[in-house]
Amino acid sequence: MSVELTGAEITVRCLQEEGVDYIFGYPGGAVLFIYDELFKQDKVKHILVRHEQAALHAADGYARSSHKVGVALVTSGPGVTNAVTGIATAYMDSIPLVIISGQVPTAAIGQDAFQEVDTVGITRPCVKHNFLVKDITELASTIKKAFYIASTGRPGPVLVDIPKDITQQKTVFSYPNSVSMRSYHPEVDDNSRQVKKAAQLILGAKRPMVYTGGGVILDNASEELTKLVRYLNFPCTNTLMGLGGFPATDKRFVGMLGMHGTYEANMAMQYCDVLIAVGARFDDRVIGNPKHFYSEERKIIHIDIDPSSISKRVKVDVPIVGRVSQVLNELITLIKASKEETDAHAIKEWWKQIDLWRERDCLRYDRASAVIKPQMVVEKLYTVTKGDAFVTSDVGQHQMWAAQFYSFDKPRRWINSGGLGTMGFGLPSAMGVQMANPNGVVACITGEASIQMCIQELSTCKQYQLPIKIINLNNRYMGMVRQWQEFFHGNRYSESYMDALPDFVKLAESYGHVGMKIEKPEDVEGALKEAFKLKKRLVFMDFITDQTENVFPMVPGGKGLSEMILV
Amino acid sequence: MENEAGALSRVAGLFSARGYNIESLSVAPTEDPTLSRMTLVTVGSDEVIEQITKQLNKLIEVVKIVDLSEGDHIERELMLVKIRAIGGDREEVKRLADIFRGNIIDVTDKSYTIELTGTSSKLDAFLDAIERNMILETIRTGASGLGRGERILKV
Ligand SMILES: Cc1cc2nc3c(=O)[nH]c(=O)nc-3n(C[C@H](O)[C@H](O)[C@H](O)COP(=O)(O)OP(=O)(O)OC[C@H]3O[C@@H](n4cnc5c(N)ncnc54)[C@H](O)[C@@H]3O)c2cc1C
Ligand SMILES: Cc1ncc(C[n+]2csc(CCOP(=O)(O)OP(=O)(O)O)c2C)c(N)n1
Ligand SMILES: [Mg+2]
């Protein structure tokens, strides 16, 4: 007779079977048996955060930087509600996570029991799927399904809610090798006809544009993308989520597009005749006013794994449902084999036009400024880290400057919350990134407002000796809010001034880290060098930056891509 | 869809979260008890219907979807209606029920309860034919539908 295991043992065994090395969590009553099992083994290492939101962001950063599923463990009730922001953040950016949450015992469900919330109900709109395990014999297969669903198709977070009594009950453990679900088929149908049509359009293009997004990163398809774009000599732009998908230092890269995209990227997007959209979802921050976008004629090819991303906001001419890597590979083969060639003359003319737009130098700023310009800090960070750091960010102006001024040549190096725009994401996600890349250089670019949303994680960083470098672009404002108030609300800076700021140097020191305050432009590079020499220490660098600096270009809400406010 | 707790709320939640309308919804297990079949009536432009279909397809518990209105189909709804029926009205109500092929399934000396099946517009027409203040209560199931002839939705 086989031995029986408790639900808690089974849970931990499942994680081991999945090859999970780190799990980010916070204990509580409903998960005590699971914590007891974690204690008895050392394959799955538990990272104790200081707030459940951070557990989710850390698991998320781990997943984004490693292409593995991130795992978080939280208790019932407030553990879950604290985690919701992190779950929604991952959901909006299609990040594969498995969240294990404790629940009150089966018999207590619905009784308004202590620390009971309807976890499945609360998280339903912000997960790819969720489960409540009501029968111990289904626990292992449910966890298997959770990992499968999270990591296949369009990825996303999957939550498994486990009542406490299930973690105590016993059953025979066997972990299924494979999953088959009649209602979930992530593999895609044959799309070769569509791919052929796309190849035809591409070869006939006179003003082509390649627009790529998070799908390229999620599918590890940067190599294929780079190959195709270089072969065709087409211009390429990335969304905020797609940065690093195509090397930013390649001259074919025209910068990020969208609300804070470059002049050349937005103009090329507006005036191209064939648009090749790859794993990007025509977000409202990307194409601006759709009516204005339609006012120019162009043919659109759209490659996406999720049919619901296609023709959602913008009608496309050649929809291709499929994995980016597979479709790009087929395109490369078709195009190379084709007797037809691209119109070299037209494309040369198109590049001339783009270069003219480039001359507008839309990202310029005052390099001789007597106060520290935030853009300059990011540029220096790029130099000092030789462009090879993992950069996480929070949300606001600093996020945009990081995206504009740190040239990402590799995928999974730029980690930020694009879809939900979650302040507080930067530091905890950096913890996950550092865990997944123990030898990697990890920098967190943040603002004095955002960093305070998960500042408690400085303690976690101390406990696990995470040598993250925090680049605080301290403008004493919720700069992004202030910018909108300046542009659209008559300079009335309602509640966007950050008053009563802590002394960040002392704060860092009190957590056992190194703190630095940098106030002069000439000190920026030296300070960065010094900080990055401290390979084993977390350094909190408080840069006192220009309070009035704004992010340009900017496509104001409701305006079209070519209607940017320029510096 | 899978006959599982929570499947219905995922569908309903999707409609409310994305601002779509549910005109009516009827659902029950099929001959295969692990599956439920739902008929959901909604209105929207072609683009909206396309998005609704794609979004529903993404729900893990949804096994298969057809848009019945894309082809020939049959649609039926059941209504129970309790009507005040006193004196001369009794004959009149019974006559109307006959015209609409309804069955009187409960009788008191003051009321008739009529069971009526048909398309939603037939049920509407019946109600329109009866004086508003004679209608004591109504309940309708919402439409259930099947494709005609060889159009079969089966897993
Ligand atoms: C303050 C702020 C300002 C912002 N400004 C900008 C801006 O100026 N420019 C900008 O671009 N964004 C900006 N954003 C981000 C924006 O909100 C969106 O998050 C972002 O544009 C979406 O990127 P994406 O289109 O690449 O889609 P993602 O959210 O990354 O979605 C990825 C797409 O790829 C698909 N996919 C996933 N896996 C695969 C696969 N294996 N094969 C094929 N397809 C796959 C998915 O189905 C999905 O459609 C801003 C955000 C904030 C917070
Ligand atoms: C949790 C959360 N609350 C509110 C917002 C709205 N918001 C977006 S940017 C921003 C200001 C960020 O300020 P700071 O971190 O100092 O960055 P800066 O813009 O100054 O660089 C706010 C409040 C948000 N994105 N997330
Ligand atoms: Mg600020």
Side-chain angles (χ1 to χ4, degrees), chain A residues 187-403:
Chain A
E187 66 278 7
V188 291
D189 299 337
D190 176 40
N191 49 25
S192 49
R193 264 187 45 213
Q194 294 296 91
V195 179
K196 273 192 200 114
K197 269 197 218 163
Q200 280 306 314
L201 262 184
I202 289 172
L203 286 165
K206 300 205 179 308
R207 298 187 310 280
M209 176 70 160
V210 182
Y211 144 62
T212 86
V216 171
I217 313 287
L218 291 164
D219 202 32
N220 287 334
S222 346
E223 226 173 89
E224 289 87 344
L225 174 70
T226 309
K227 219 172 167 184
L228 181 70
V229 172
R230 286 187 174 155
Y231 182 78
L232 293 166
N233 191 31
F234 283 4
C236 181
T237 181
N238 294 161
T239 67
L240 183 72
M241 300 314 296
L243 293 173
F246 185 78
T249 51
D250 187 300
K251 62 180 189 310
R252 296 172 195 86
F253 185 63
V254 293
M256 180 172 83
L257 82 166
M259 178 176 277
H260 294 296
T262 65
Y263 184 66
E264 50 273 29
N266 286 343
M267 294 300 276
M269 184 81 175
Q270 181 73 11
Y271 294 107
C272 62
D273 72 338
V274 174
L275 178 63
I276 306 141
V278 189
R281 53 185 175 85
F282 290 91
D283 187 80
D284 47 310
R285 292 224 151 175
V286 168
I287 57 155
N289 184 338
K291 273 210 191 96
H292 183 275
F293 187 64
Y294 281 133
S295 67
E296 293 296 325
E297 237 180 85
R298 63 180 89 65
K299 292 275 184 230
I300 304 179
I301 300 162
H302 191 180
I303 308 167
D304 204 291
I305 191 90
D306 179 357
S308 76
S309 278
I310 298 179
S311 291
K312 178 165 72 178
R313 300 193 66 246
V314 167
K315 263 249 160 297
V316 308
D317 303 279
V318 185
I320 305 177
V321 177
R323 289 182 59 167
V324 169
S325 51
Q326 169 249 323
V327 177
L328 289 182
N329 267 328
E330 281 176 34
L331 276 175
I332 293 170
T333 315
L334 278 177
I335 288 170
K336 283 192 171 168
S338 166
K339 285 187 210 86
E340 262 178 83
E341 282 186 15
T342 50
D343 185 341
H345 175 71
I347 289 165
K348 204 168 149 200
E349 290 301 307
W350 178 228
W351 269 118
K352 261 192 212 158
Q353 172 62 67
I354 293 172
D355 286 337
L356 280 178
W357 286 328
R358 265 184 175 151
E359 276 171 26
R360 188 71 182 67
D361 193 10
C362 66
L363 297 180
R364 70 173 177 274
Y365 64 90
D366 179 8
R367 284 167 203 274
S369 161
V371 285
I372 299 179
K373 288 288 181 180
Q375 298 96 321
M376 187 261 253
V377 180
V378 180
E379 281 189 332
K380 294 288 182 205
L381 175 70
Y382 176 81
T383 328
V384 169
T385 56
K386 302 188 179 64
D388 206 32
F390 290 86
V391 179
T392 75
S393 112
D394 267 301
V395 173
Q397 291 182 317
H398 62 271
Q399 177 187 22
M400 295 300 112
W401 287 316

Side-chain angles (χ1 to χ4, degrees), chain A residues 53 85 394-399 401 420-424 446-451 453 472-481 498:
Chain A
Q53 180 185 348
T85 299
D394 267 301
V395 173
Q397 291 182 317
H398 62 271
Q399 177 187 22
W401 287 316
L420 199 66
T422 308
M423 289 170 69
T446 182
E448 77 298 331
S450 290
I451 191 67
M453 285 215 179
N472 187 34
L473 300 179
N474 185 344
N475 53 6
R476 284 82 72 215
Y477 271 107
M478 299 174 194
M480 188 54 92
V481 175
M498 290 308 289

Side-chain angles (χ1 to χ4, degrees), chain A residues 390-544:
Chain A
F390 290 86
V391 179
T392 75
S393 112
D394 267 301
V395 173
Q397 291 182 317
H398 62 271
Q399 177 187 22
M400 295 300 112
W401 287 316
Q404 292 174 335
F405 289 89
Y406 199 101
S407 304
F408 293 93
D409 277 343
K410 293 184 200 157
R412 299 191 182 277
R413 295 284 163 136
W414 165 239
I415 313 289
N416 82 134
S417 162
L420 199 66
T422 308
M423 289 170 69
F425 178 80
L427 177 57
S429 64
M431 305 190 313
V433 173
Q434 189 78 76
M435 288 296 179
N437 304 275
N439 300 317
V441 172
V442 183
C444 162
I445 298 183
T446 182
E448 77 298 331
S450 290
I451 191 67
Q452 292 189 80
M453 285 215 179
C454 274
I455 193 85
Q456 75 287 345
E457 297 309 315
L458 285 173
S459 171
T460 312
C461 292
K462 182 66 189 168
Q463 181 174 346
Y464 299 96
Q465 310 272 333
L466 303 177
I468 297 161
K469 305 296 180 279
I470 298 173
I471 317 291
N472 187 34
L473 300 179
N474 185 344
N475 53 6
R476 284 82 72 215
Y477 271 107
M478 299 174 194
M480 188 54 92
V481 175
R482 191 202 55 71
Q483 175 167 347
W484 282 59
Q485 290 170 335
E486 180 185 328
F487 289 6
F488 313 119
H489 298 275
N491 300 298
R492 289 178 300 280
Y493 298 137
S494 177
E495 305 295 324
S496 57
Y497 184 69
M498 290 308 289
D499 213 335
L501 284 173
D503 178 333
F504 285 111
V505 173
K506 281 194 191 147
L507 183 78
E509 285 168 359
S510 83
Y511 276 107
H513 301 303
V514 180
M516 291 181 180
K517 183 171 182 173
I518 303 96
E519 294 178 274
K520 289 197 221 102
E522 59 270 28
D523 296 339
V524 170
E525 188 163 349
L528 282 165
K529 280 187 177 150
E530 197 186 320
F532 280 92
K533 265 190 210 134
L534 299 173
K535 291 202 179 342
K536 299 227 152 104
R537 303 294 300 275
L538 182 149
V539 184
F540 191 114
M541 312 186 72
D542 189 20
F543 291 95
I544 308 303

